Amino acid sequence: MAHVAPTSSAPRVFGGSAVSRAATAAVLLGVVYGVWAAGMARDAGPITTGNVLLGVVAGVVVAAVFMGLRAIAPGLPRELRAAAWAGFAGIAFGYLYSLSDATVLRSTIMALAVAAGVFAVMFYRYYTSE
């Protein structure tokens, strides 16, 4: 007589496949980034078509790069994978920081600092989990 294997009684917090969770994360990241970019460019002024267009384009680009990086990163060695995520985070942060009317030098220094921190954290994560 065949018996049914016991299943876990714990509820699943996140359902769906890994692809759908990645797509959901990309859309959420794109929306947050786009709204943030549009708000930074607006600078407490009126909402204009240019601000909305900037937010939409920035959000779509960040979501597309995030999905592309998630697809390509697992095939990279740990050093390049950490560098790719660090570059993504540094560029994304540097662009948002530049929208605050900071100088190019200041934006570059802040982006490099964020990228260095992300590289250290990601390299540690990949080095200890592989």
Side-chain angles (χ1 to χ4, degrees):
M1 180 179 232
H3 294 283
V4 177
T7 59
S8 173
S9 62
R12 288 189 61 162
V13 177
F14 299 108
S17 67
V19 174
S20 68
R21 287 192 306 267
T24 302
V27 168
L28 182 62
L29 178 66
V31 167
V32 169
Y33 191 87
V35 168
W36 198 335
M40 292 288 290
R42 188 169 71 94
D43 195 29
I47 297 175
T48 63
T49 306
N51 294 39
V52 173
L53 185 61
L54 173 75
V56 169
V57 170
V60 167
V61 167
V62 165
V65 172
F66 178 79
M67 283 299 290
L69 193 54
R70 266 191 71 107
I72 293 171
L76 296 174
R78 69 177 73 116
E79 296 86 4
L80 289 178
R81 194 177 339 159
W85 284 112
F88 173 70
I91 291 169
F93 179 81
Y95 179 68
L96 284 180
Y97 197 82
S98 72
L99 290 176
S100 69
D101 293 332
T103 64
V104 174
L105 182 62
R106 176 84 175 170
S107 297
T108 303
I109 290 170
M110 294 300 289
L112 287 174
V114 168
V118 170
F119 178 79
V121 169
M122 296 307 287
F123 182 76
Y124 177 78
R125 179 184 181 269
Y126 295 136
Y127 191 77
T128 58
S129 66
E130 291 179 352

